[in-house]
PDB file of all heavy atoms in Angstrom:
ATOM      1  N   ASP A  26     -41.785 -87.388 -28.016  1.00 94.00           N
ATOM      2  CA  ASP A  26     -40.434 -87.359 -28.608  1.00 94.00           C
ATOM      3  C   ASP A  26     -40.606 -86.771 -29.975  1.00 94.00           C
ATOM      4  O   ASP A  26     -39.805 -85.921 -30.387  1.00 94.00           O
ATOM      5  CB  ASP A  26     -39.911 -88.775 -28.782  1.00 94.00           C
ATOM      6  CG  ASP A  26     -39.453 -89.438 -27.613  1.00 94.00           C
ATOM      7  OD1 ASP A  26     -39.206 -88.614 -26.591  1.00 94.00           O
ATOM      8  OD2 ASP A  26     -39.230 -90.682 -27.420  1.00 94.00           O
ATOM      9  N   GLU A  27     -41.689 -86.988 -30.678  1.00 94.00           N
ATOM     10  CA  GLU A  27     -41.894 -86.466 -32.100  1.00 94.00           C
ATOM     11  C   GLU A  27     -42.271 -84.921 -32.021  1.00 94.00           C
ATOM     12  O   GLU A  27     -41.662 -84.230 -32.822  1.00 94.00           O
ATOM     13  CB  GLU A  27     -43.206 -87.149 -32.583  1.00 94.00           C
ATOM     14  CG  GLU A  27     -42.845 -88.638 -33.118  1.00 94.00           C
ATOM     15  CD  GLU A  27     -44.122 -89.235 -33.536  1.00 94.00           C
ATOM     16  OE1 GLU A  27     -45.197 -88.782 -33.463  1.00 94.00           O
ATOM     17  OE2 GLU A  27     -43.895 -90.406 -34.111  1.00 94.00           O
ATOM     18  N   LEU A  28     -42.887 -84.486 -30.908  1.00 93.00           N
ATOM     19  CA  LEU A  28     -43.141 -83.107 -30.817  1.00 93.00           C
ATOM     20  C   LEU A  28     -41.903 -82.333 -30.396  1.00 93.00           C
ATOM     21  O   LEU A  28     -41.629 -81.195 -30.919  1.00 93.00           O
ATOM     22  CB  LEU A  28     -44.180 -82.859 -29.655  1.00 93.00           C
ATOM     23  CG  LEU A  28     -45.650 -83.225 -30.063  1.00 93.00           C
ATOM     24  CD1 LEU A  28     -46.559 -83.155 -28.889  1.00 93.00           C
ATOM     25  CD2 LEU A  28     -46.182 -82.272 -31.087  1.00 93.00           C
ATOM     26  N   VAL A  29     -41.056 -82.844 -29.498  1.00 93.00           N
ATOM     27  CA  VAL A  29     -39.815 -82.243 -29.195  1.00 93.00           C
ATOM     28  C   VAL A  29     -38.847 -82.165 -30.342  1.00 93.00           C
ATOM     29  O   VAL A  29     -38.180 -81.113 -30.510  1.00 93.00           O
ATOM     30  CB  VAL A  29     -39.156 -83.062 -27.980  1.00 93.00           C
ATOM     31  CG1 VAL A  29     -37.743 -82.484 -27.705  1.00 93.00           C
ATOM     32  CG2 VAL A  29     -40.020 -82.878 -26.726  1.00 93.00           C
ATOM     33  N   ASP A  30     -38.796 -83.192 -31.226  1.00 93.00           N
ATOM     34  CA  ASP A  30     -37.877 -83.299 -32.272  1.00 93.00           C
ATOM     35  C   ASP A  30     -38.279 -82.147 -33.257  1.00 93.00           C
ATOM     36  O   ASP A  30     -37.352 -81.450 -33.832  1.00 93.00           O
ATOM     37  CB  ASP A  30     -37.980 -84.489 -33.017  1.00 93.00           C
ATOM     38  CG  ASP A  30     -37.252 -85.677 -32.265  1.00 93.00           C
ATOM     39  OD1 ASP A  30     -36.529 -85.328 -31.410  1.00 93.00           O
ATOM     40  OD2 ASP A  30     -37.610 -86.892 -32.587  1.00 93.00           O
ATOM     41  N   GLU A  31     -39.664 -81.791 -33.361  1.00 91.00           N
ATOM     42  CA  GLU A  31     -40.071 -80.805 -34.276  1.00 91.00           C
ATOM     43  C   GLU A  31     -40.028 -79.404 -33.800  1.00 91.00           C
ATOM     44  O   GLU A  31     -39.663 -78.502 -34.367  1.00 91.00           O
ATOM     45  CB  GLU A  31     -41.367 -81.110 -34.878  1.00 91.00           C
ATOM     46  CG  GLU A  31     -41.947 -80.180 -35.948  1.00 91.00           C
ATOM     47  CD  GLU A  31     -43.165 -80.797 -36.675  1.00 91.00           C
ATOM     48  OE1 GLU A  31     -43.629 -81.848 -36.256  1.00 91.00           O
ATOM     49  OE2 GLU A  31     -43.635 -80.108 -37.607  1.00 91.00           O
ATOM     50  N   TYR A  32     -40.487 -79.326 -32.399  1.00 89.00           N
ATOM     51  CA  TYR A  32     -40.627 -77.947 -31.977  1.00 89.00           C
ATOM     52  C   TYR A  32     -39.720 -77.574 -30.799  1.00 89.00           C
ATOM     53  O   TYR A  32     -39.670 -76.364 -30.367  1.00 89.00           O
ATOM     54  CB  TYR A  32     -42.137 -77.756 -31.480  1.00 89.00           C
ATOM     55  CG  TYR A  32     -43.057 -78.034 -32.607  1.00 89.00           C
ATOM     56  CD1 TYR A  32     -43.911 -79.068 -32.566  1.00 89.00           C
ATOM     57  CD2 TYR A  32     -43.252 -76.981 -33.612  1.00 89.00           C
ATOM     58  CE1 TYR A  32     -44.872 -79.258 -33.609  1.00 89.00           C
ATOM     59  CE2 TYR A  32     -44.134 -77.235 -34.641  1.00 89.00           C
ATOM     60  CZ  TYR A  32     -44.974 -78.410 -34.652  1.00 89.00           C
ATOM     61  OH  TYR A  32     -45.871 -78.477 -35.707  1.00 89.00           O
ATOM     62  N   GLY A  33     -39.164 -78.499 -30.117  1.00 90.00           N
ATOM     63  CA  GLY A  33     -38.282 -78.259 -28.918  1.00 90.00           C
ATOM     64  C   GLY A  33     -39.146 -78.190 -27.618  1.00 90.00           C
ATOM     65  O   GLY A  33     -40.255 -78.041 -27.625  1.00 90.00           O
ATOM     66  N   TRP A  34     -38.356 -78.157 -26.462  1.00 89.00           N
ATOM     67  CA  TRP A  34     -39.022 -78.266 -25.147  1.00 89.00           C
ATOM     68  C   TRP A  34     -39.640 -76.872 -24.841  1.00 89.00           C
ATOM     69  O   TRP A  34     -40.577 -76.738 -23.993  1.00 89.00           O
ATOM     70  CB  TRP A  34     -37.861 -78.488 -24.206  1.00 89.00           C
ATOM     71  CG  TRP A  34     -37.565 -79.967 -24.107  1.00 89.00           C
ATOM     72  CD1 TRP A  34     -36.279 -80.497 -24.369  1.00 89.00           C
ATOM     73  CD2 TRP A  34     -38.387 -81.117 -23.712  1.00 89.00           C
ATOM     74  NE1 TRP A  34     -36.439 -81.816 -24.106  1.00 89.00           N
ATOM     75  CE2 TRP A  34     -37.619 -82.237 -23.710  1.00 89.00           C
ATOM     76  CE3 TRP A  34     -39.698 -81.149 -23.251  1.00 89.00           C
ATOM     77  CZ2 TRP A  34     -38.177 -83.524 -23.494  1.00 89.00           C
ATOM     78  CZ3 TRP A  34     -40.293 -82.452 -23.010  1.00 89.00           C
ATOM     79  CH2 TRP A  34     -39.502 -83.537 -23.125  1.00 89.00           C
ATOM     80  N   ASP A  35     -39.237 -75.772 -25.499  1.00 82.00           N
ATOM     81  CA  ASP A  35     -39.803 -74.498 -25.081  1.00 82.00           C
ATOM     82  C   ASP A  35     -40.957 -74.144 -25.933  1.00 82.00           C
ATOM     83  O   ASP A  35     -41.509 -72.986 -25.897  1.00 82.00           O
ATOM     84  CB  ASP A  35     -38.743 -73.362 -25.272  1.00 82.00           C
ATOM     85  CG  ASP A  35     -39.124 -72.122 -24.544  1.00 82.00           C
ATOM     86  OD1 ASP A  35     -39.593 -72.263 -23.427  1.00 82.00           O
ATOM     87  OD2 ASP A  35     -38.957 -71.006 -25.058  1.00 82.00           O
ATOM     88  N   SER A  36     -41.529 -75.093 -26.669  1.00 80.00           N
ATOM     89  CA  SER A  36     -42.684 -74.861 -27.585  1.00 80.00           C
ATOM     90  C   SER A  36     -43.988 -74.835 -26.706  1.00 80.00           C
ATOM     91  O   SER A  36     -44.056 -75.386 -25.615  1.00 80.00           O
ATOM     92  CB  SER A  36     -42.812 -75.749 -28.649  1.00 80.00           C
ATOM     93  OG  SER A  36     -43.200 -77.095 -28.169  1.00 80.00           O
ATOM     94  N   GLU A  37     -45.051 -74.283 -27.235  1.00 72.00           N
ATOM     95  CA  GLU A  37     -46.290 -74.243 -26.588  1.00 72.00           C
ATOM     96  C   GLU A  37     -46.802 -75.726 -26.323  1.00 72.00           C
ATOM     97  O   GLU A  37     -47.371 -75.921 -25.202  1.00 72.00           O
ATOM     98  CB  GLU A  37     -47.362 -73.495 -27.365  1.00 72.00           C
ATOM     99  CG  GLU A  37     -48.770 -73.433 -26.753  1.00 72.00           C
ATOM    100  CD  GLU A  37     -48.673 -72.515 -25.457  1.00 72.00           C
ATOM    101  OE1 GLU A  37     -47.747 -71.756 -25.389  1.00 72.00           O
ATOM    102  OE2 GLU A  37     -49.572 -72.755 -24.634  1.00 72.00           O
ATOM    103  N   ALA A  38     -46.542 -76.607 -27.130  1.00 70.00           N
ATOM    104  CA  ALA A  38     -47.011 -77.991 -26.979  1.00 70.00           C
ATOM    105  C   ALA A  38     -46.445 -78.547 -25.685  1.00 70.00           C
ATOM    106  O   ALA A  38     -47.114 -79.408 -25.090  1.00 70.00           O
ATOM    107  CB  ALA A  38     -46.549 -78.870 -28.210  1.00 70.00           C
ATOM    108  N   MET A  39     -45.225 -78.094 -25.397  1.00 81.00           N
ATOM    109  CA  MET A  39     -44.557 -78.840 -24.199  1.00 81.00           C
ATOM    110  C   MET A  39     -44.910 -78.201 -22.838  1.00 81.00           C
ATOM    111  O   MET A  39     -44.449 -78.738 -21.711  1.00 81.00           O
ATOM    112  CB  MET A  39     -43.112 -78.792 -24.360  1.00 81.00           C
ATOM    113  CG  MET A  39     -42.506 -79.657 -25.532  1.00 81.00           C
ATOM    114  SD  MET A  39     -42.710 -81.415 -25.310  1.00 81.00           S
ATOM    115  CE  MET A  39     -44.159 -81.551 -26.468  1.00 81.00           C
ATOM    116  N   SER A  40     -45.788 -77.212 -22.831  1.00 81.00           N
ATOM    117  CA  SER A  40     -46.231 -76.612 -21.541  1.00 81.00           C
ATOM    118  C   SER A  40     -47.274 -77.276 -20.896  1.00 81.00           C
ATOM    119  O   SER A  40     -47.653 -77.057 -19.742  1.00 81.00           O
ATOM    120  CB  SER A  40     -46.545 -75.123 -21.845  1.00 81.00           C
ATOM    121  OG  SER A  40     -47.745 -75.017 -22.626  1.00 81.00           O
ATOM    122  N   GLY A  41     -47.978 -78.193 -21.593  1.00 87.00           N
ATOM    123  CA  GLY A  41     -49.079 -78.899 -21.029  1.00 87.00           C
ATOM    124  C   GLY A  41     -48.746 -80.092 -20.204  1.00 87.00           C
ATOM    125  O   GLY A  41     -47.806 -80.753 -20.328  1.00 87.00           O
ATOM    126  N   ILE A  42     -49.734 -80.417 -19.288  1.00 91.00           N
ATOM    127  CA  ILE A  42     -49.633 -81.627 -18.464  1.00 91.00           C
ATOM    128  C   ILE A  42     -49.549 -82.835 -19.346  1.00 91.00           C
ATOM    129  O   ILE A  42     -50.450 -82.881 -20.309  1.00 91.00           O
ATOM    130  CB  ILE A  42     -50.802 -81.747 -17.400  1.00 91.00           C
ATOM    131  CG1 ILE A  42     -50.736 -80.454 -16.478  1.00 91.00           C
ATOM    132  CG2 ILE A  42     -50.630 -82.995 -16.658  1.00 91.00           C
ATOM    133  CD1 ILE A  42     -51.996 -80.470 -15.592  1.00 91.00           C
ATOM    134  N   GLY A  43     -48.746 -83.776 -19.048  1.00 94.00           N
ATOM    135  CA  GLY A  43     -48.650 -84.988 -19.834  1.00 94.00           C
ATOM    136  C   GLY A  43     -47.478 -84.901 -20.904  1.00 94.00           C
ATOM    137  O   GLY A  43     -47.129 -85.857 -21.608  1.00 94.00           O
ATOM    138  N   TYR A  44     -46.905 -83.668 -20.994  1.00 93.00           N
ATOM    139  CA  TYR A  44     -45.750 -83.425 -21.990  1.00 93.00           C
ATOM    140  C   TYR A  44     -44.655 -82.879 -21.195  1.00 93.00           C
ATOM    141  O   TYR A  44     -43.545 -83.352 -21.338  1.00 93.00           O
ATOM    142  CB  TYR A  44     -46.215 -82.476 -23.019  1.00 93.00           C
ATOM    143  CG  TYR A  44     -47.364 -83.000 -23.887  1.00 93.00           C
ATOM    144  CD1 TYR A  44     -48.699 -82.852 -23.521  1.00 93.00           C
ATOM    145  CD2 TYR A  44     -47.109 -83.723 -25.077  1.00 93.00           C
ATOM    146  CE1 TYR A  44     -49.708 -83.391 -24.345  1.00 93.00           C
ATOM    147  CE2 TYR A  44     -48.077 -84.377 -25.803  1.00 93.00           C
ATOM    148  CZ  TYR A  44     -49.386 -84.104 -25.483  1.00 93.00           C
ATOM    149  OH  TYR A  44     -50.372 -84.670 -26.261  1.00 93.00           O
ATOM    150  N   ARG A  45     -44.843 -81.839 -20.485  1.00 90.00           N
ATOM    151  CA  ARG A  45     -43.711 -81.056 -19.711  1.00 90.00           C
ATOM    152  C   ARG A  45     -42.965 -81.985 -18.748  1.00 90.00           C
ATOM    153  O   ARG A  45     -41.816 -81.783 -18.610  1.00 90.00           O
ATOM    154  CB  ARG A  45     -44.181 -79.778 -18.998  1.00 90.00           C
ATOM    155  CG  ARG A  45     -45.159 -80.144 -17.811  1.00 90.00           C
ATOM    156  CD  ARG A  45     -45.796 -78.762 -17.216  1.00 90.00           C
ATOM    157  NE  ARG A  45     -46.502 -78.948 -15.949  1.00 90.00           N
ATOM    158  CZ  ARG A  45     -47.587 -78.508 -15.822  1.00 90.00           C
ATOM    159  NH1 ARG A  45     -48.193 -77.685 -16.621  1.00 90.00           N
ATOM    160  NH2 ARG A  45     -48.254 -78.509 -14.581  1.00 90.00           N
ATOM    161  N   GLU A  46     -43.647 -82.955 -18.233  1.00 93.00           N
ATOM    162  CA  GLU A  46     -43.022 -83.819 -17.291  1.00 93.00           C
ATOM    163  C   GLU A  46     -41.877 -84.717 -17.836  1.00 93.00           C
ATOM    164  O   GLU A  46     -41.027 -85.055 -17.099  1.00 93.00           O
ATOM    165  CB  GLU A  46     -44.066 -84.746 -16.573  1.00 93.00           C
ATOM    166  CG  GLU A  46     -45.045 -84.089 -15.711  1.00 93.00           C
ATOM    167  CD  GLU A  46     -46.264 -83.535 -16.521  1.00 93.00           C
ATOM    168  OE1 GLU A  46     -46.349 -83.680 -17.773  1.00 93.00           O
ATOM    169  OE2 GLU A  46     -47.180 -82.953 -15.924  1.00 93.00           O
ATOM    170  N   PHE A  47     -41.951 -84.934 -19.070  1.00 95.00           N
ATOM    171  CA  PHE A  47     -40.949 -85.751 -19.782  1.00 95.00           C
ATOM    172  C   PHE A  47     -39.561 -85.031 -19.944  1.00 95.00           C
ATOM    173  O   PHE A  47     -38.538 -85.689 -20.065  1.00 95.00           O
ATOM    174  CB  PHE A  47     -41.497 -86.153 -21.245  1.00 95.00           C
ATOM    175  CG  PHE A  47     -42.300 -87.293 -21.191  1.00 95.00           C
ATOM    176  CD1 PHE A  47     -43.708 -87.124 -21.056  1.00 95.00           C
ATOM    177  CD2 PHE A  47     -41.913 -88.665 -21.250  1.00 95.00           C
ATOM    178  CE1 PHE A  47     -44.647 -88.033 -20.990  1.00 95.00           C
ATOM    179  CE2 PHE A  47     -42.875 -89.627 -21.231  1.00 95.00           C
ATOM    180  CZ  PHE A  47     -44.245 -89.477 -21.089  1.00 95.00           C
ATOM    181  N   GLN A  48     -39.531 -83.655 -19.715  1.00 92.00           N
ATOM    182  CA  GLN A  48     -38.223 -83.019 -19.927  1.00 92.00           C
ATOM    183  C   GLN A  48     -37.203 -83.422 -18.772  1.00 92.00           C
ATOM    184  O   GLN A  48     -36.021 -83.701 -19.000  1.00 92.00           O
ATOM    185  CB  GLN A  48     -38.477 -81.503 -19.891  1.00 92.00           C
ATOM    186  CG  GLN A  48     -37.162 -80.757 -20.113  1.00 92.00           C
ATOM    187  CD  GLN A  48     -37.408 -79.270 -20.276  1.00 92.00           C
ATOM    188  OE1 GLN A  48     -38.366 -78.742 -20.081  1.00 92.00           O
ATOM    189  NE2 GLN A  48     -36.262 -78.455 -20.722  1.00 92.00           N
ATOM    190  N   ASP A  49     -37.804 -83.650 -17.583  1.00 91.00           N
ATOM    191  CA  ASP A  49     -36.909 -84.051 -16.536  1.00 91.00           C
ATOM    192  C   ASP A  49     -36.368 -85.450 -16.698  1.00 91.00           C
ATOM    193  O   ASP A  49     -35.336 -85.818 -16.393  1.00 91.00           O
ATOM    194  CB  ASP A  49     -37.690 -83.977 -15.180  1.00 91.00           C
ATOM    195  CG  ASP A  49     -37.733 -82.583 -14.598  1.00 91.00           C
ATOM    196  OD1 ASP A  49     -36.876 -81.716 -15.078  1.00 91.00           O
ATOM    197  OD2 ASP A  49     -38.568 -82.224 -13.766  1.00 91.00           O
ATOM    198  N   TYR A  50     -37.214 -86.152 -17.370  1.00 93.00           N
ATOM    199  CA  TYR A  50     -36.836 -87.644 -17.748  1.00 93.00           C
ATOM    200  C   TYR A  50     -35.648 -87.537 -18.719  1.00 93.00           C
ATOM    201  O   TYR A  50     -34.701 -88.346 -18.717  1.00 93.00           O
ATOM    202  CB  TYR A  50     -37.945 -88.440 -18.299  1.00 93.00           C
ATOM    203  CG  TYR A  50     -37.551 -89.882 -18.719  1.00 93.00           C
ATOM    204  CD1 TYR A  50     -37.302 -90.870 -17.910  1.00 93.00           C
ATOM    205  CD2 TYR A  50     -37.437 -89.969 -20.237  1.00 93.00           C
ATOM    206  CE1 TYR A  50     -36.974 -92.052 -18.390  1.00 93.00           C
ATOM    207  CE2 TYR A  50     -37.009 -91.216 -20.625  1.00 93.00           C
ATOM    208  CZ  TYR A  50     -36.830 -92.304 -19.764  1.00 93.00           C
ATOM    209  OH  TYR A  50     -36.420 -93.476 -20.309  1.00 93.00           O
ATOM    210  N   SER A  51     -35.888 -86.749 -19.743  1.00 92.00           N
ATOM    211  CA  SER A  51     -34.848 -86.580 -20.817  1.00 92.00           C
ATOM    212  C   SER A  51     -33.503 -86.095 -20.346  1.00 92.00           C
ATOM    213  O   SER A  51     -32.458 -86.329 -20.851  1.00 92.00           O
ATOM    214  CB  SER A  51     -35.320 -85.644 -21.950  1.00 92.00           C
ATOM    215  OG  SER A  51     -35.401 -84.266 -21.434  1.00 92.00           O
ATOM    216  N   GLU A  52     -33.552 -85.344 -19.216  1.00 91.00           N
ATOM    217  CA  GLU A  52     -32.352 -84.773 -18.667  1.00 91.00           C
ATOM    218  C   GLU A  52     -31.871 -85.754 -17.403  1.00 91.00           C
ATOM    219  O   GLU A  52     -30.926 -85.298 -16.686  1.00 91.00           O
ATOM    220  CB  GLU A  52     -32.711 -83.417 -18.042  1.00 91.00           C
ATOM    221  CG  GLU A  52     -32.997 -82.442 -19.150  1.00 91.00           C
ATOM    222  CD  GLU A  52     -33.430 -81.100 -18.618  1.00 91.00           C
ATOM    223  OE1 GLU A  52     -33.573 -80.970 -17.322  1.00 91.00           O
ATOM    224  OE2 GLU A  52     -33.697 -80.096 -19.444  1.00 91.00           O
ATOM    225  N   GLY A  53     -32.431 -86.895 -17.367  1.00 92.00           N
ATOM    226  CA  GLY A  53     -31.985 -87.807 -16.294  1.00 92.00           C
ATOM    227  C   GLY A  53     -32.271 -87.487 -14.870  1.00 92.00           C
ATOM    228  O   GLY A  53     -31.780 -88.107 -13.942  1.00 92.00           O
ATOM    229  N   LYS A  54     -33.325 -86.616 -14.673  1.00 92.00           N
ATOM    230  CA  LYS A  54     -33.727 -86.254 -13.298  1.00 92.00           C
ATOM    231  C   LYS A  54     -34.785 -87.065 -12.751  1.00 92.00           C
ATOM    232  O   LYS A  54     -35.026 -87.147 -11.527  1.00 92.00           O
ATOM    233  CB  LYS A  54     -34.095 -84.797 -13.360  1.00 92.00           C
ATOM    234  CG  LYS A  54     -33.054 -83.786 -13.744  1.00 92.00           C
ATOM    235  CD  LYS A  54     -33.581 -82.368 -13.791  1.00 92.00           C
ATOM    236  CE  LYS A  54     -32.489 -81.379 -14.347  1.00 92.00           C
ATOM    237  NZ  LYS A  54     -33.070 -79.950 -14.371  1.00 92.00           N
ATOM    238  N   LEU A  55     -35.631 -87.732 -13.592  1.00 91.00           N
ATOM    239  CA  LEU A  55     -36.729 -88.562 -13.093  1.00 91.00           C
ATOM    240  C   LEU A  55     -36.751 -89.866 -13.865  1.00 91.00           C
ATOM    241  O   LEU A  55     -36.272 -89.934 -15.040  1.00 91.00           O
ATOM    242  CB  LEU A  55     -38.055 -87.857 -13.508  1.00 91.00           C
ATOM    243  CG  LEU A  55     -38.450 -86.610 -12.708  1.00 91.00           C
ATOM    244  CD1 LEU A  55     -39.843 -86.046 -13.179  1.00 91.00           C
ATOM    245  CD2 LEU A  55     -38.483 -86.856 -11.167  1.00 91.00           C
ATOM    246  N   SER A  56     -37.177 -90.828 -13.156  1.00 95.00           N
ATOM    247  CA  SER A  56     -37.391 -92.268 -13.844  1.00 95.00           C
ATOM    248  C   SER A  56     -38.738 -92.140 -14.584  1.00 95.00           C
ATOM    249  O   SER A  56     -39.678 -91.172 -14.290  1.00 95.00           O
ATOM    250  CB  SER A  56     -37.458 -93.278 -12.784  1.00 95.00           C
ATOM    251  OG  SER A  56     -38.610 -93.180 -12.024  1.00 95.00           O
ATOM    252  N   MET A  57     -39.096 -93.135 -15.414  1.00 95.00           N
ATOM    253  CA  MET A  57     -40.354 -93.151 -16.164  1.00 95.00           C
ATOM    254  C   MET A  57     -41.556 -93.281 -15.159  1.00 95.00           C
ATOM    255  O   MET A  57     -42.505 -92.745 -15.281  1.00 95.00           O
ATOM    256  CB  MET A  57     -40.308 -94.209 -17.168  1.00 95.00           C
ATOM    257  CG  MET A  57     -41.572 -94.126 -18.094  1.00 95.00           C
ATOM    258  SD  MET A  57     -41.669 -92.547 -18.911  1.00 95.00           S
ATOM    259  CE  MET A  57     -40.230 -92.490 -19.989  1.00 95.00           C
ATOM    260  N   THR A  58     -41.247 -94.111 -14.090  1.00 95.00           N
ATOM    261  CA  THR A  58     -42.249 -94.233 -13.060  1.00 95.00           C
ATOM    262  C   THR A  58     -42.569 -92.837 -12.321  1.00 95.00           C
ATOM    263  O   THR A  58     -43.768 -92.531 -12.078  1.00 95.00           O
ATOM    264  CB  THR A  58     -41.860 -95.237 -11.966  1.00 95.00           C
ATOM    265  OG1 THR A  58     -41.678 -96.568 -12.567  1.00 95.00           O
ATOM    266  CG2 THR A  58     -42.885 -95.342 -10.907  1.00 95.00           C
ATOM    267  N   GLN A  59     -41.613 -92.148 -12.094  1.00 96.00           N
ATOM    268  CA  GLN A  59     -41.663 -90.821 -11.480  1.00 96.00           C
ATOM    269  C   GLN A  59     -42.360 -89.820 -12.437  1.00 96.00           C
ATOM    270  O   GLN A  59     -43.171 -88.999 -12.044  1.00 96.00           O
ATOM    271  CB  GLN A  59     -40.346 -90.278 -11.092  1.00 96.00           C
ATOM    272  CG  GLN A  59     -39.760 -90.928  -9.813  1.00 96.00           C
ATOM    273  CD  GLN A  59     -38.330 -90.474  -9.584  1.00 96.00           C
ATOM    274  OE1 GLN A  59     -37.487 -90.354 -10.557  1.00 96.00           O
ATOM    275  NE2 GLN A  59     -38.082 -90.220  -8.275  1.00 96.00           N
ATOM    276  N   VAL A  60     -42.174 -89.993 -13.742  1.00 96.00           N
ATOM    277  CA  VAL A  60     -42.889 -89.198 -14.760  1.00 96.00           C
ATOM    278  C   VAL A  60     -44.437 -89.497 -14.643  1.00 96.00           C
ATOM    279  O   VAL A  60     -45.222 -88.576 -14.582  1.00 96.00           O
ATOM    280  CB  VAL A  60     -42.319 -89.389 -16.116  1.00 96.00           C
ATOM    281  CG1 VAL A  60     -43.332 -88.858 -17.149  1.00 96.00           C
ATOM    282  CG2 VAL A  60     -40.896 -89.021 -16.316  1.00 96.00           C
ATOM    283  N   LYS A  61     -44.718 -90.710 -14.511  1.00 96.00           N
ATOM    284  CA  LYS A  61     -46.120 -91.108 -14.536  1.00 96.00           C
ATOM    285  C   LYS A  61     -46.817 -90.483 -13.186  1.00 96.00           C
ATOM    286  O   LYS A  61     -47.881 -89.924 -13.326  1.00 96.00           O
ATOM    287  CB  LYS A  61     -46.347 -92.644 -14.437  1.00 96.00           C
ATOM    288  CG  LYS A  61     -46.010 -93.330 -15.818  1.00 96.00           C
ATOM    289  CD  LYS A  61     -46.217 -94.819 -15.633  1.00 96.00           C
ATOM    290  CE  LYS A  61     -45.847 -95.578 -16.868  1.00 96.00           C
ATOM    291  NZ  LYS A  61     -46.093 -96.995 -16.843  1.00 96.00           N
ATOM    292  N   ASN A  62     -46.056 -90.658 -12.107  1.00 96.00           N
ATOM    293  CA  ASN A  62     -46.551 -90.151 -10.885  1.00 96.00           C
ATOM    294  C   ASN A  62     -46.755 -88.659 -10.905  1.00 96.00           C
ATOM    295  O   ASN A  62     -47.699 -88.032 -10.349  1.00 96.00           O
ATOM    296  CB  ASN A  62     -45.640 -90.556  -9.686  1.00 96.00           C
ATOM    297  CG  ASN A  62     -45.723 -92.059  -9.369  1.00 96.00           C
ATOM    298  OD1 ASN A  62     -46.585 -92.678  -9.751  1.00 96.00           O
ATOM    299  ND2 ASN A  62     -44.645 -92.471  -8.814  1.00 96.00           N
ATOM    300  N   SER A  63     -45.830 -87.976 -11.549  1.00 95.00           N
ATOM    301  CA  SER A  63     -45.857 -86.493 -11.653  1.00 95.00           C
ATOM    302  C   SER A  63     -47.043 -86.070 -12.532  1.00 95.00           C
ATOM    303  O   SER A  63     -47.669 -85.108 -12.184  1.00 95.00           O
ATOM    304  CB  SER A  63     -44.615 -86.011 -12.236  1.00 95.00           C
ATOM    305  OG  SER A  63     -44.568 -84.595 -12.339  1.00 95.00           O
ATOM    306  N   ILE A  64     -47.268 -86.780 -13.640  1.00 96.00           N
ATOM    307  CA  ILE A  64     -48.540 -86.498 -14.443  1.00 96.00           C
ATOM    308  C   ILE A  64     -49.844 -86.647 -13.673  1.00 96.00           C
ATOM    309  O   ILE A  64     -50.660 -85.803 -13.722  1.00 96.00           O
ATOM    310  CB  ILE A  64     -48.546 -87.413 -15.739  1.00 96.00           C
ATOM    311  CG1 ILE A  64     -47.425 -87.066 -16.633  1.00 96.00           C
ATOM    312  CG2 ILE A  64     -49.909 -87.291 -16.421  1.00 96.00           C
ATOM    313  CD1 ILE A  64     -47.197 -87.989 -17.801  1.00 96.00           C
ATOM    314  N   VAL A  65     -49.798 -87.763 -12.863  1.00 96.00           N
ATOM    315  CA  VAL A  65     -51.046 -87.933 -12.015  1.00 96.00           C
ATOM    316  C   VAL A  65     -51.194 -86.787 -11.092  1.00 96.00           C
ATOM    317  O   VAL A  65     -52.243 -86.166 -10.931  1.00 96.00           O
ATOM    318  CB  VAL A  65     -51.084 -89.274 -11.344  1.00 96.00           C
ATOM    319  CG1 VAL A  65     -52.118 -89.396 -10.270  1.00 96.00           C
ATOM    320  CG2 VAL A  65     -51.084 -90.404 -12.307  1.00 96.00           C
ATOM    321  N   LYS A  66     -50.164 -86.438 -10.362  1.00 94.00           N
ATOM    322  CA  LYS A  66     -50.163 -85.433  -9.371  1.00 94.00           C
ATOM    323  C   LYS A  66     -50.656 -84.052  -9.926  1.00 94.00           C
ATOM    324  O   LYS A  66     -51.352 -83.330  -9.532  1.00 94.00           O
ATOM    325  CB  LYS A  66     -48.869 -85.263  -8.724  1.00 94.00           C
ATOM    326  CG  LYS A  66     -48.744 -84.073  -7.678  1.00 94.00           C
ATOM    327  CD  LYS A  66     -47.395 -84.075  -7.105  1.00 94.00           C
ATOM    328  CE  LYS A  66     -47.254 -82.783  -6.084  1.00 94.00           C
ATOM    329  NZ  LYS A  66     -45.910 -82.621  -5.469  1.00 94.00           N
TER     330      LYS A  66
END
């Protein structure tokens, strides 16, 4: 959340695993459990 607030979803920071998966959560496309599963996958 702090990185998105400062740099936005299109920043280099958000392209990595463990970060980019949260965008779908923020847009209501994934639950938090699904975010975790997506990070693992």
